[in-house]
Amino acid sequence: MASCNGLSRSFLPSSLRTRPGFAEIRKREPVRVVISLYGARNQKWNINVAQTSAPSRLHPDNFAMEYEEKIEEIRQILQSKGEDHDPSESLVLVDAIQRAGLSSYYEEEIQTLLRKHYRASCASIYGYYSLHDVSLLFRLLRQHGHVISPDVFNNFKGKDGKFRRNLKQDIRGLVELYEAAQLSVEGEHILDEAASFSSHLLHEYCSANVDNLSRIVIGKLRYPYHKTVPRLTRKDFLQHFEGINGWGKTLKELALMDLRKGQSVYQGELTQVSKWWNEVGLAKTLKLVRNQPLKWYTWSMSILMDDFSLSLQRVELTKSIAFIYLIDDIFDVVGSLDELTIFTEAVNKWEYAAADILPDYMKMCYRALLDTTNEIGLEIYKMHGHNPIDSLKISWASLCNAFLVEAKWLASGNLPTTDKYLENGKVSTGVYVLLVHLFFLLGLGNGEAIHLNDVSQLVSSVATILRLWDDLGSAEDEHQDGRDGSYVECYRKDHQGLSMERARRHVSDTIASEWKSLNKECFCLNHFTASSFKRASLNVARMVPLMYGYDDNQQLPVLEEYVKFVLFHQTT
């Protein structure tokens, strides 16, 4: 069903001083796993894990020692910056650590430093004079849960109440202003002005200049930090990064070592996923469904990139993502409406006996879904002492119910209203299933201070962002013809005579509004037990610009490059 499966049709592809996982950096026998990855327009690329698993230049023990030494070296530099009288360099260092994907090693130190900056800014924000420093301080403080008003930017306005045009000469400051504006919530008009002002001047600069700085600016405009997964995009950061006072070289070396460690962890997990998928055997039974374990694993890898120790969570989450894709394909390209109705009823019952009434091709998938989900519930019980199987079952029933609604729309040929479409479409993205499983895999919801209902708006915003981006893209790679509509089509039906351009602009505005809602939810969810879930949920939304490219045709190659670089350290 065209454009009615966000997660299911998209391309996918702590403050710990000593992180687990060094034992995995060993010279192992290469595993011959060749995986095909399909993106838009059925483009395909293969990766042979055996060919790309190059061992580190260091012995594992030496690697671990050097790795820890560099972590500690950066820690000492970060701590020393808290004593500096120049606040600017310490802010740049924190930002560089975050962009290099290394902030989880220094959460305590970063919070301590930012609290000091926060106290100073409360006394006088204008102690930070430049547009660059004020914007960077604003973004870092807000990212880490400190209350800071956007009124700090009034100092850069003229008597007419508008941002001063002479700021056009300050490209670094404008980039930081644009980055800061990405953290706005509803009603912060000054940040809306800041986004529009900085974006306009930066595009002007890039149009008039073809140099290294303009290329960096284009990258920042396309992938601002707040809406990007740092570990996925750090290749670009490392290529252009220039350190200050010597620490830049050490940080760059640490980032590359962190990448090598991640490759060992991720490749091992991908091997586990491939082994599981082969054992399930559904690729042989369901010939028309997708057979793309790398695509499914890339989702969980990207969502949980902040902590190497979450291997079990990534592997188990990948299994649930695989079934989102499989069931979506059954609804889209395999089952008749009567068969889909029976399948949905069976999932709602969640009984093995219900498989008896299913068509033969559905039986194996249904039983595998129950087996896998029950096993995930058992793993959660082993880790956290609570089996959330009832919540997991409800999430699968909700997904199938939403898919069935769309199947009926397709059969009737009648488009729903925009509101009905979006309400159902948020569920059919698969985001609810994914985040419910993730919620419990992270150990939340069992007597903790946060429960599923507490994050319902956060989940809704993520699902809406994914759904609307999906509907702006193309469904050509899913062998679909769009007869069940999209948000754009439904909106134009509800607003007769509206042009496609205006409808798409409305969707873009709605996405921007949902990001503001998501920002508000994330800033409010500062309880410790919610921090990992908050970051992971943000990462789902952050993956969207890498997955969908309705405004140009270069997004797929970009994502291919990121996946190759993160998993296999391949570059073109």
Side-chain angles (χ1 to χ4, degrees):
M1 290 180 292
S3 299
C4 283
N5 5 328
L7 169 62
S8 54
R9 74 167 286 278
S10 59
F11 169 81
L12 273 218
S14 1
S15 54
L16 298 176
R17 294 177 184 265
T18 302
R19 304 291 285 271
F22 281 119
E24 299 186 40
I25 306 178
R26 294 284 189 266
K27 184 177 180 180
R28 59 164 71 98
E29 288 297 316
V31 180
R32 296 212 167 270
V33 181
V34 180
I35 305 169
S36 298
L37 192 63
Y38 288 85
R41 298 170 182 82
N42 288 323
Q43 290 177 297
K44 174 183 177 182
W45 50 283
N46 296 322
I47 291 176
N48 190 324
V49 176
Q51 294 175 352
T52 57
S53 299
S56 169
R57 62 181 176 84
L58 297 174
H59 184 277
D61 292 338
N62 292 337
F63 180 94
M65 185 180 301
E66 183 177 337
Y67 187 76
E68 286 300 314
E69 287 174 353
K70 290 193 182 298
I71 288 177
E72 289 305 314
E73 187 174 343
I74 293 297
R75 191 187 312 282
Q76 292 173 15
I77 294 171
L78 186 58
Q79 290 171 340
S80 70
K81 295 306 172 188
E83 308 303 322
D84 281 358
H85 297 292
D86 177 16
S88 178
E89 185 179 343
S90 63
L91 296 177
V92 172
L93 175 58
V94 170
D95 185 43
I97 289 172
Q98 292 188 161
R99 290 182 182 276
L102 302 170
S103 58
S104 58
Y105 297 107
Y106 308 107
E107 289 183 354
E108 182 179 337
E109 289 80 10
I110 288 174
Q111 286 288 8
T112 298
L113 191 149
L114 290 179
R115 278 195 293 268
K116 180 177 180 179
H117 283 294
Y118 183 62
R119 289 192 292 269
S121 68
C122 288
S124 174
I125 186 66
Y126 303 116
Y128 305 85
Y129 295 104
S130 71
L131 178 62
H132 174 277
D133 289 356
V134 172
S135 300
L136 180 54
L137 176 66
F138 176 89
R139 174 165 61 85
L140 292 176
L141 289 178
R142 183 163 280 199
Q143 280 174 349
H144 290 270
H146 296 285
V147 178
I148 181 167
S149 170
D151 290 344
V152 297
F153 296 108
N154 282 327
N155 195 46
F156 301 98
K157 289 186 171 185
K159 294 181 179 179
D160 59 357
K162 297 180 180 179
F163 282 98
R164 300 195 302 269
R165 285 287 300 182
N166 63 356
L167 292 171
K168 69 181 298 183
Q169 307 300 325
D170 185 3
I171 300 301
R172 289 179 70 248
L174 289 172
V175 168
E176 282 305 327
L177 181 62
Y178 179 79
E179 294 268 23
Q182 306 307 308
L183 284 90
S184 65
V185 300
E186 202 64 50
E188 292 184 326
H189 302 300
I190 189 171
L191 291 183
D192 294 337
E193 295 174 34
S196 177
F197 172 78
S198 57
S199 175
H200 176 73
L201 292 182
L202 290 171
H203 277 103
E204 268 189 5
Y205 175 82
C206 293
S207 297
N209 297 273
V210 182
D211 53 17
N212 191 52
L213 179 57
S214 66
R215 286 190 288 271
I216 294 174
V217 170
I218 289 172
K220 295 289 184 67
L221 289 171
R222 179 174 289 176
Y223 306 121
Y225 173 80
H226 179 59
K227 297 178 179 178
T228 304
V229 182
R231 271 194 165 99
L232 271 184
T233 56
R234 66 175 158 190
K235 178 182 72 169
D236 293 342
F237 169 73
L238 294 174
Q239 285 176 341
H240 301 299
F241 175 64
E242 295 180 4
I244 298 176
N245 295 338
W247 55 257
K249 181 176 182 291
T250 303
L251 185 66
K252 201 168 186 176
E253 291 172 346
L254 175 58
L256 291 173
M257 295 186 77
D258 187 72
L259 174 64
R260 293 191 189 102
K261 178 182 177 181
Q263 287 161 358
S264 176
V265 173
Y266 300 144
Q267 289 175 17
E269 293 169 2
L270 182 57
T271 300
Q272 293 180 54
V273 168
S274 299
K275 182 175 182 292
W276 165 80
W277 176 239
N278 290 332
E279 290 174 350
V280 170
L282 289 178
K284 298 178 181 178
T285 305
L286 298 171
K287 300 293 186 181
L288 295 179
V289 304
R290 281 164 283 190
N291 179 12
Q292 301 167 335
L294 175 57
K295 180 177 182 179
W296 307 329
Y297 171 71
T298 305
W299 267 103
S300 57
M301 179 192 75
S302 304
I303 294 167
L304 294 173
M305 269 192 160
D306 293 328
D307 192 339
F308 291 145
S309 71
L310 297 177
S311 282
L312 187 146
Q313 286 85 345
R314 281 187 290 270
V315 171
E316 297 304 312
L317 190 62
T318 301
K319 297 175 183 179
S320 65
I321 292 169
F323 277 101
I324 294 173
Y325 278 91
L326 296 177
I327 295 173
D328 172 57
D329 284 345
I330 287 175
F331 274 80
D332 281 352
V333 298
V334 182
S336 67
L337 185 58
D338 288 342
E339 291 171 340
L340 299 177
T341 301
I342 296 171
F343 184 84
T344 300
E345 291 172 354
V347 173
N348 277 269
K349 290 179 181 177
W350 205 264
E351 298 171 353
Y352 284 94
D356 295 340
I357 63 172
L358 293 175
D360 288 341
Y361 75 89
M362 286 183 171
K363 287 180 180 179
M364 189 172 179
C365 180
Y366 177 75
R367 289 170 180 152
L369 172 65
L370 268 60
D371 285 344
T372 302
T373 306
N374 289 333
E375 289 166 4
I376 291 173
L378 182 59
E379 289 292 344
I380 294 171
Y381 176 77
K382 291 177 183 178
M383 287 189 292
H384 306 297
H386 169 64
N387 189 340
I389 189 62
D390 289 340
S391 295
L392 303 185
K393 290 189 296 187
I394 291 172
S395 72
W396 285 113
S398 297
L399 179 67
C400 291
N401 292 340
F403 281 161
L404 184 60
V405 168
E406 292 172 352
K408 291 178 178 178
W409 289 339
L410 173 61
S412 69
N414 295 322
L415 289 176
T417 64
T418 306
D419 291 342
K420 285 184 179 180
Y421 171 84
L422 185 56
E423 195 60 33
N424 189 77
K426 288 189 292 185
V427 181
S428 68
T429 60
V431 166
Y432 179 67
V433 171
L434 185 154
L435 291 182
V436 168
H437 282 69
L438 178 61
F439 184 84
F440 291 108
L441 282 166
L442 292 174
L444 302 174
N446 178 28
E448 300 287 349
I450 182 172
H451 301 277
L452 271 176
N453 288 340
D454 299 324
V455 297
S456 59
Q457 183 55 51
L458 182 151
V459 173
S460 175
S461 292
V462 173
T464 302
I465 291 168
L466 191 54
R467 159 59 57 231
L468 295 178
W469 266 92
D470 183 5
D471 285 357
L472 281 172
S474 167
E476 292 181 17
D477 62 320
E478 302 301 323
H479 311 290
Q480 300 161 353
D481 57 15
R483 287 174 293 161
D484 59 337
S486 68
Y487 183 88
V488 176
E489 192 174 351
C490 293
Y491 188 76
R492 291 186 71 196
K493 177 197 165 197
D494 290 349
H495 299 79
Q496 293 294 325
L498 191 70
S499 69
M500 177 62 76
E501 181 182 357
R502 289 186 61 187
R504 291 169 70 88
R505 191 182 310 131
H506 165 78
V507 175
S508 297
D509 291 343
T510 305
I511 291 172
S513 179
E514 284 299 328
W515 260 107
K516 292 179 179 181
S517 175
L518 180 58
N519 287 341
K520 180 180 179 182
E521 289 299 306
C522 288
F523 299 152
C524 293
L525 287 175
N526 289 323
H527 192 280
F528 175 77
T529 57
S531 60
S532 57
F533 183 76
K534 175 180 69 176
R535 287 194 298 267
S537 299
L538 275 170
N539 282 346
V540 176
R542 287 164 171 165
M543 281 302 295
V544 173
L546 296 177
M547 292 184 289
Y548 302 104
Y550 71 88
D551 56 345
D552 63 59
N553 295 317
Q554 301 304 314
Q555 304 288 329
L556 178 63
V558 168
L559 184 55
E560 285 183 4
E561 286 302 306
Y562 285 144
V563 174
K564 288 178 183 178
F565 184 72
V566 172
L567 274 172
F568 309 109
H569 205 176
Q570 289 181 340
T571 56
T572 55

